[in-house]
Amino acid sequence: MAERITDIGPPHFSKFLPPVIKENYGKWAYHEILEPGVLKHVSESGAEIYSVRVASPRLITTMFARELCDIADKFCGGHLRFTSRHNVEFLVSDKAQLEPLKAELASRGLPKGGTGHSITNIVHTQGWVHCHTPAIDASGIVKSVMDDLIDYFGTHSLPAQVRISLACCLNMCGAVHCSDIAICGVHRTPPKVQHEKLRHLCEIPTTIASCPTGAIRPHPDKTLKSVTVNVERCMYCGNCYTMCPAMPCFDEEKGGVALLVGGKVSNAKSAPMFSRLAVPYIPNNPPRWPEVVETIRKMLIKYTEGANKYERVGEWIERIGWEKFFEICDIPFTYQHIDDYKFQAYDTYRTSMHFKF
Amino acid sequence: MHKTPLLDQLESGPFPSFVKDLKRMAAKKPQVNDLLGQLERSYKEKITHWKHGGIVGVLGYGSGIIGRYSDLPDEFPGLEHFHTMRINQPSGWYYTSQALRELCDIWDEHGSGVLNMHGATGDLIFLGTRTEELEPCFEKLTAKGWDIGGSGSAMRSPSCCLGMSRCEWSCYDTMEACYQLTQEFQFDLHRPSYPYKYKLKFSGCPNDCVAAVARADMSMIGVWKDDIKIDQAAVQAYAGGELKPEGGATVYDKLDIKADVTDLCPTLCMSWDGKTLKIDNANCNHCMHCINMMPKALKPGNERGCTILLGSHAPILEGAQMSWVIVPFMKMEEPFDELKDLTYKITEWWAEHGKNRERVGELIMRMGMRAFLEAVELPPVPQSVRTPRANPFFFWHQSDFDAEAAGRKYYTTK
C-alpha cells in the first residue's frame, strides 16, 4: 500500500499536443473554415494546422475509440482531440494528408461538419442506458434528431449557429438551459411513497427539506415513520427521489419530452439567454421519437425562414415577439407556458403595451 | 444475444449509431449484451431499469465513482454491478493515439469497454464495471499518469476551452489555468467536503465555448481592457469580398460591413465610411460580434485577462441561474495565485454557511450579495449588476456609519 499513487490529477496537456501547436502556442493569427468541418488555423509565423471535425455518438466503445486512434495514426501523427460538444477533431499538420483523411472518414461513415452556421453535435446525458432518474432516453433521441438534421450538420446553411442539447430529466446534467433548442425529459406524476422501504432507506428530515415547494410532510401516522406528499404542490422535479430512493416518480405513460428554445451562452451581439418553454409535453415514442423530431424540424425551418442574417434563435424570437413565435410555429400556448415558479416568474410577465395581435 | 427489435431501428441512418457500436462490443463482452437487453426493455416499457446509486469507491477517495446497479439483475446478470468511473480529462480534451489506446486497454481489462467521450462536466467516463474491479483499474490508471475526477459534494473536474493552443481570441491561457487549479484542488476534488458540487470552467473569450456562464459555479471568461486591434487592409478585403465573413462559417459570400457588423454592434460604438473602420473602444462591451465576423481584421487588445462570474447552475433547485460578474477583470498569469485565493475564500464562506445541497449561487441569493462580497473581501462594483435596485429597502450597517464618521463617503472592503 505504501506505493499507492493518489491525487496526481490529469496528465499535463503538453504531452498530447502536436508539435506545430506546441511551437505556436499563443501565437495564432487567424483561422478560416475551408468547408464545413474543416478548420485552418494560421500562426503569426505562417505555420498552419488543419482540424477535421466529425460527429460522434458520445456513447461509444473502446472499439470505436481505437478506430479513431487508427485514423489519427494514419493521417495526424497520432493527434486528435474532442470538442466541448462531443465531436472528434483530427489534427492535421501535413496538408497533403487532408484529402486522404477526408476520403477515409467518408468511407468509414463518419460525417464531417459541425462548424460555423451548422447544427453541431447534441450535448446530452445518459438516459435509459445508465441513469436512475431519466424520463426519456438520451442517445436514441439524439440519434433520431441528428439523422433527420444531418444536412444541417454538414453545411453552413443556417442564419447562425444552432446549438441543441438534451437532458433526460429536470436535474439537467446536460445543463440545457441556455441552448437554442433544448430537449428535456419531464416526469408528470408525483412520487409514489413506498412506506415500507422509506423507513429503512431514508432520513425523514432531509427528505422533507429536499422539496423546493414544501410539498412533503411527516406522515400523520407516526408508527409508519414515513412522509406524505401534497400532490397539488408537486412539480415532479424528482429532487426527493435523489435524497430518498423510496420515492420514485416515474410513470411509463406520463413521462415524456419538453422542448425549450432561444437560449445561448455566447455574448456575441446579445447577452447570454435562458431557453424558454416552447412545447410542454410530447409523449415518449421510442425508438425514434418521431413527434419530437418533427417538432424540432418545424421550429428550425420557421427560424431559417424568418431570421435575419447572423440572428440566433433567441434573438429572432425576441425581435418578432413570443406571441408571433407560437403563431408562426403553430404551437398552442398553454397554462404551462406561464411561469409560476419562485422569483423568476414576475420577470417574465408583460408590463407594457408592446405586443402584437 | 438478446433480441433488440426496437434498438435495431437505430442502426440505420447517417449519424453514427451507438447501437451498431454497442452490438460489436456485445459480441465480445456479455455485460454489453445485457446492457443492450436491458435498454431494449426500457424502450419497450418507457422506464429506466437502473436502481438508485449506492456508495462505492476507491480507497481514500469519496468521489469519482458512481455506483450503479440494475433492478433486473437476474435477467441481466452482467449488469448486477455497472458502476461509472470518471477519469479527469486533460485540458482541452487533447489526446495522442498512444494515450487513448492505453486507456482503452485498461478499460477493456477492467470494465465493459463502454465509455463517454466525454461527460457533461468534462471527464472521460468509463461506463460499467464491478465493485471488485474499481481498485485494480484505479491502480492501472494512476500508473499511467491518470487520476479520477470529482463527483458528489466536491470540487468537480474543472474544464476549459482549447484557448491559446489553437485559438487567436483566447485572452489567457485557459488550459494551463485549468490544469493548475485542478492540481491545487486535488484534495477537495477527491474528498467531498463542500455543501454541494462546485464547478470551474475556463473560457478564453466572451464567445464562451465551454458554456462557463451557464454550467459552472465559478466562470472564468477571457476579456481585454484596451483597444480592439484593427488591420484596416484586411477590413477592406472583407468589404471587397476577398475574405469571407466569419472565416467561411456561413453561406453568405460577402460581408456588408455596415449591415452585418456596425449596425449589429450592441453598443453602436463602431462606424464604417467605406474606407476606414472606427471603434470607440471606451464604449465597446466586448461582445465579440465584430471580431467573429472578421477574424483576419480584428483581434482582442493587448491588455488581457478574465472576468470572474459566479453562481450558475441548472434549474434544480431554486430555478436556473447564470453566473454574474463579481470581478470585472483579473490578470491571469502563472501561478494564478489571485484566482486560487479567491476560490478558497469563496468555498470557505460557502462551506461555513451553505445548507446541505445548496449551490453557492443559491446561498448568495439567501444571504445577500453584501454578506458574500464582504466575506470574500470584494468591493461593490457597478459591472456586477445590470441595473441598481428599484426599491428603497436597503440596509445600513454600523460599518457604513463608521465610514461616514471617518469622512469617507462610502464603506467598501478595500
Side-chain angles (χ1 to χ4, degrees):
Chain A
M1 289 305 291
E3 285 166 36
R4 197 162 174 276
I5 304 167
T6 67
D7 299 291
I8 55 172
H12 193 266
F13 55 86
S14 57
K15 288 184 181 172
F16 306 132
L17 300 179
V20 64
I21 283 189
K22 268 192 192 168
E23 287 153 21
N24 294 283
Y25 199 97
K27 296 179 198 150
W28 297 101
Y30 69 94
H31 75 275
E32 288 172 27
I33 305 179
L34 302 179
E35 60 183 279
V38 182
L39 298 142
K40 172 189 176 182
H41 287 83
V42 182
S43 157
E44 288 160 4
S45 71
E48 295 174 347
I49 186 155
Y50 297 84
S51 307
V52 180
R53 188 176 291 175
V54 298
S56 151
R58 186 186 89 112
L59 172 64
I60 62 172
T61 69
T62 50
M63 296 169 87
F64 184 84
R66 287 175 199 279
E67 285 173 3
L68 299 178
C69 291
D70 294 342
I71 300 169
D73 280 346
K74 205 163 158 192
F75 305 99
C76 312
H79 290 284
L80 73 166
R81 66 176 293 272
F82 295 80
T83 72
S84 58
R85 301 197 74 85
H86 313 313
N87 295 300
V88 185
E89 280 181 357
F90 293 100
L91 304 170
V92 182
S93 302
D94 175 6
K95 194 181 175 184
Q97 298 296 335
L98 210 49
E99 290 308 315
L101 169 62
K102 279 158 58 183
E104 172 101 13
L105 295 171
S107 75
R108 287 176 184 261
L110 287 170
K112 178 174 62 67
T115 50
H117 291 193
S118 69
I119 287 181
T120 190
N121 213 342
I122 298 180
V123 165
H124 60 279
T125 55
Q126 305 289 17
W128 290 331
V129 84
H130 209 237
C131 183
H132 65 293
T133 65
I136 57 177
D137 188 37
S139 299
I141 299 180
V142 167
K143 164 79 174 144
S144 306
V145 172
M146 286 309 288
D147 274 345
D148 185 59
L149 301 179
I150 197 75
D151 290 344
Y152 294 103
F153 181 83
T155 56
H156 294 153
S157 52
L158 296 163
Q161 64 266 49
V162 172
R163 300 291 176 253
I164 309 181
S165 307
L166 179 147
C168 50
C169 80
L170 305 199
N171 275 313
M172 284 202 192
C173 299
V176 302
H177 52 287
C178 295
S179 307
D180 293 280
I181 299 175
I183 305 165
C184 185
V186 289
H187 298 294
R188 299 196 301 160
T189 44
K192 298 160 198 142
V193 186
Q194 300 166 333
H195 298 300
E196 263 318 294
K197 262 175 96 179
L198 194 142
R199 59 190 301 170
H200 301 297
L201 282 173
C202 312
E203 237 182 59
I204 288 175
T206 50
T207 306
I208 290 170
S210 73
C211 180
T213 63
I216 303 175
R217 289 283 157 83
H219 199 284
D221 180 353
K222 296 241 183 317
T223 59
L224 270 180
K225 292 197 175 99
S226 186
V227 298
T228 57
V229 177
N230 177 351
V231 295
E232 281 171 17
R233 293 181 90 158
C234 176
M235 45 60 175
Y236 337 109
C237 70
N239 201 48
C240 55
Y241 180 64
T242 301
M243 297 313 288
C244 170
M247 301 189 70
C249 55
F250 313 121
D251 187 277
E252 293 84 340
E253 292 312 316
K254 288 214 173 84
V257 176
L259 297 176
L260 298 89
V261 300
K264 74 195 270 273
V265 293
S266 158
N267 286 273
K269 300 197 297 291
S270 54
M273 297 188 238
F274 286 123
S275 315
R276 307 283 176 181
L277 185 63
V279 182
Y281 178 71
I282 300 172
N284 259 323
N285 193 1
R288 279 194 167 268
W289 284 267
E291 300 85 354
V292 173
V293 171
E294 191 189 318
T295 311
I296 290 175
R297 172 170 278 273
K298 181 171 79 176
M299 294 191 300
L300 192 74
I301 285 174
K302 294 297 176 188
Y303 157 70
T304 55
E305 288 170 358
N308 289 338
K309 280 204 284 187
Y310 306 107
E311 203 168 41
R312 293 284 292 262
V313 172
E315 293 168 335
W316 165 62
I317 300 174
E318 293 234 311
R319 178 169 58 78
I320 63 169
W322 281 93
E323 63 275 33
K324 283 286 163 196
F325 167 80
F326 286 103
E327 182 189 312
I328 289 170
C329 292
D330 191 26
I331 293 171
F333 189 81
T334 66
Y335 287 123
Q336 280 75 21
H337 288 91
I338 303 175
D339 195 353
D340 49 15
Y341 189 70
K342 301 208 172 180
F343 63 88
Q344 300 101 332
Y346 171 79
D347 278 352
T348 65
Y349 302 157
R350 174 118 48 192
T351 55
S352 75
M353 294 302 293
H354 299 175
F355 59 85
K356 301 171 185 174
F357 292 106
Chain B
M1 297 282 276
H2 297 289
K3 289 255 182 301
T4 55
L6 290 169
L7 290 175
D8 294 352
Q9 296 175 51
L10 290 168
E11 287 191 74
S12 57
F15 196 75
S17 167
F18 69 101
V19 174
K20 234 188 225 175
D21 191 25
L22 288 173
K23 277 193 173 178
R24 295 190 300 176
M25 206 66 192
K28 291 184 169 185
K29 297 235 179 208
Q31 65 269 49
V32 180
N33 182 31
D34 281 348
L35 185 67
L36 283 165
Q38 181 176 302
L39 187 59
E40 177 73 14
R41 186 79 173 257
S42 285
Y43 268 57
K44 208 160 98 191
E45 297 173 0
K46 303 179 190 179
I47 205 155
T48 188
H49 282 290
W50 296 103
K51 282 204 283 200
H52 201 285
I55 297 165
V56 286
V58 299
L59 284 172
Y61 282 14
S63 74
I65 315 280
I66 295 97
R68 191 61 77 222
Y69 304 89
S70 167
D71 70 3
L72 303 167
D74 297 334
E75 222 166 312
F76 304 108
L79 307 183
E80 188 189 7
H81 300 194
F82 210 68
H83 311 318
T84 301
M85 296 182 83
R86 291 186 180 159
I87 318 301
N88 200 147
Q89 81 284 8
S91 285
W93 299 286
Y94 280 96
Y95 295 87
T96 55
S97 54
Q98 187 198 337
L100 194 49
R101 281 205 191 91
E102 282 171 4
L103 288 163
C104 290
D105 290 343
I106 295 171
W107 190 229
D108 281 339
E109 187 183 345
H110 293 286
S112 68
V114 178
L115 61 158
N116 289 143
M117 302 290 279
H118 291 80
T121 302
D123 304 87
L124 193 170
I125 309 286
F126 283 176
L127 284 177
T129 193
R130 298 186 57 83
T131 305
E132 60 273 18
E133 295 290 345
L134 294 170
E135 191 61 31
C137 186
F138 176 68
E139 199 177 301
K140 294 257 172 66
L141 286 165
T142 53
K144 289 286 182 193
W146 298 90
D147 201 345
I148 58 180
S151 66
S153 296
M155 176 66 80
R156 298 301 187 83
S157 307
S159 91
C160 61
C161 73
L162 55 57
M164 296 165 84
S165 74
R166 205 197 59 194
C167 183
E168 65 269 27
W169 296 329
S170 193
C171 294
Y172 68 99
D173 191 347
T174 53
M175 299 214 303
E176 189 62 40
C178 181
Y179 176 77
Q180 294 212 13
L181 270 285
T182 306
Q183 290 297 341
E184 178 73 23
F185 288 93
Q186 282 295 297
F187 187 91
D188 304 278
L189 212 146
H190 292 134
R191 293 159 198 85
S193 54
Y194 291 158
Y196 203 10
K197 61 186 91 170
Y198 197 78
K199 299 187 180 185
L200 302 178
K201 288 199 195 295
F202 299 84
S203 273
C205 82
N207 282 328
D208 195 3
C209 286
V210 286
V213 77
R215 306 184 69 173
D217 296 271
M218 198 166 172
S219 322
M220 274 59 66
I221 302 181
V223 73
W224 67 97
K225 277 178 105 168
D226 54 347
D227 296 354
I228 291 176
K229 295 188 265 190
I230 309 179
D231 176 344
Q232 295 288 354
V235 177
Q236 291 286 353
Y238 281 104
E242 295 118 66
L243 292 172
K244 302 282 172 227
E246 286 191 72
T250 77
V251 280
Y252 315 126
D253 312 330
K254 195 173 157 184
L255 198 64
D256 177 337
I257 296 197
K258 184 175 184 309
D260 301 339
V261 184
T262 60
D263 285 357
L264 295 181
C265 169
T267 64
L268 299 175
C269 72
M270 315 180 80
S271 62
W272 167 247
D273 61 5
K275 289 188 191 116
T276 310
L277 183 74
K278 287 197 184 127
I279 304 176
D280 170 12
N281 279 281
N283 284 307
C284 163
N285 70 0
H286 316 101
C287 87
M288 291 295 291
H289 175 67
C290 60
I291 299 176
N292 290 342
M293 289 294 118
M294 299 190 280
K296 217 167 170 177
L298 302 180
K299 282 202 179 31
N302 290 321
E303 197 184 348
R304 297 177 176 194
C306 83
T307 300
I308 316 253
L309 304 93
L310 196 78
S312 78
H313 61 88
I316 298 283
L317 204 54
E318 296 292 315
Q321 288 178 289
M322 280 190 238
S323 290
W324 60 88
V325 175
I326 59 164
V327 179
F329 188 79
M330 185 184 277
K331 275 259 176 221
M332 288 289 272
E333 281 159 1
E334 287 184 55
F336 309 103
D337 282 341
E338 203 183 342
L339 179 61
K340 289 175 189 167
D341 288 348
L342 181 62
T343 311
Y344 278 120
K345 276 185 197 161
I346 292 170
T347 52
E348 276 162 25
W349 176 76
W350 171 53
E352 191 174 327
H353 300 282
K355 292 194 279 196
N356 183 30
R357 300 184 72 240
E358 185 174 44
R359 297 287 281 268
V360 71
E362 293 171 329
L363 173 65
I364 295 171
M365 297 309 289
R366 181 163 66 79
M367 303 268 293
M369 274 285 272
R370 178 167 185 165
F372 164 74
L373 291 172
E374 287 192 343
V376 302
E377 298 178 290
L378 288 173
V381 289
Q383 285 85 356
S384 65
V385 297
R386 260 200 305 272
T387 116
R389 73 168 76 219
N391 62 63
F393 308 138
F394 35 89
F395 295 96
W396 292 96
H397 294 187
Q398 187 57 43
S399 49
D400 297 310
F401 297 132
D402 292 346
E404 240 175 59
R408 281 186 285 138
K409 215 166 182 182
Y410 305 106
Y411 170 75
T412 74
T413 52
K414 295 283 176 192

